[in-house]
């Protein structure tokens, strides 16, 4: 999508602090971190959110999760722990309409998810 901020980041048209990239996904630091480590993992192809998983390949869905774990390992969170979150829709306060997984860690996170 032409005006989607995460599509532009994936295409390298606007700068981001990229941590990982392959043929299907890209991972970069969140602009407004909510934890010492706050990385976003996004598909390069535009999907608005988790409601679109039916249109996504199993390879891509697997890759998104594997990338979250890979980045966590790369940033040495695999032993201390981390959380992944994907906000979907208004009640979850999804603000960017391009599927993304938040990877949070580097501190003791809240027991409460909401
Ligand atoms: P969500 O509320 O789940 O849709 O989270 C969107 C996240 O995207 C939010 O934590 C801030 C982040 N974000 C928004 N615009 C940009 C940007 O231009 N660059 C980066 N790196 N992150 C962004």
């Amino acid at each position: 999508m032409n005006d989607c901020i995460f599509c532009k980041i994936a295409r390298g048209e606007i700068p981001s602090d990229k941590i990982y990239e392959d043929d299907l996904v890209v991972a970069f630091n969140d602009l407004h971190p909510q934890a010492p480590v706050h990385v976003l993992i996004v598909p390069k192809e535009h999907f608005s959110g988790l409601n679109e998983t039916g249109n996504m390949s199993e390879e891509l869905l697997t890759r998104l999760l594997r990338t979250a774990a890979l980045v966590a390992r790369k940033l040495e969170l695999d032993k201390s722990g981390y959380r992944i979150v994907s906000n979907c829709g208004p009640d979850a306060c999804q603000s960017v309409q391009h599927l993304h997984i938040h990877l949070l860690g580097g501190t003791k996170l809240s027991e409460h998810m909401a």
Side-chain angles (χ1 to χ4, degrees):
M1 286 229 325
N2 282 342
D3 57 350
C4 168
I5 194 99
F6 288 175
C7 283
K8 287 182 180 172
I9 287 175
R11 291 195 296 259
E13 291 171 9
I14 60 171
S16 70
D17 199 359
K18 277 187 191 164
I19 291 172
Y20 174 85
E21 181 171 13
D22 64 25
D23 56 326
L24 294 180
V25 304
V26 60
F28 51 90
N29 282 321
D30 194 289
L31 197 59
H32 305 299
Q34 305 294 314
V37 174
H38 188 168
V39 176
L40 300 172
I41 297 110
V42 313
K44 287 187 167 178
E45 188 177 345
H46 184 86
F47 296 96
S48 62
L50 281 175
N51 283 337
E52 282 203 67
T53 51
N55 299 324
M56 297 167 64
S57 69
E58 292 188 7
E59 183 185 20
L60 176 55
L61 287 167
T62 304
R63 188 77 62 85
L64 285 164
L65 271 185
R66 284 216 168 114
T67 301
L70 183 148
V71 170
R73 225 171 22 252
K74 190 172 171 175
L75 299 179
E76 300 182 341
L77 297 179
D78 49 326
K79 295 198 173 52
S80 55
Y82 55 93
R83 178 174 293 158
I84 63 170
V85 174
S86 188
N87 296 318
C88 184
D91 279 0
C93 302
Q94 180 181 3
S95 62
V96 176
Q97 309 306 312
H98 180 127
L99 175 63
H100 50 285
I101 295 175
H102 297 259
L103 168 65
L104 299 151
T107 190
K108 183 85 176 168
L109 298 167
S110 162
E111 282 180 41
H112 307 289
M113 294 289 292

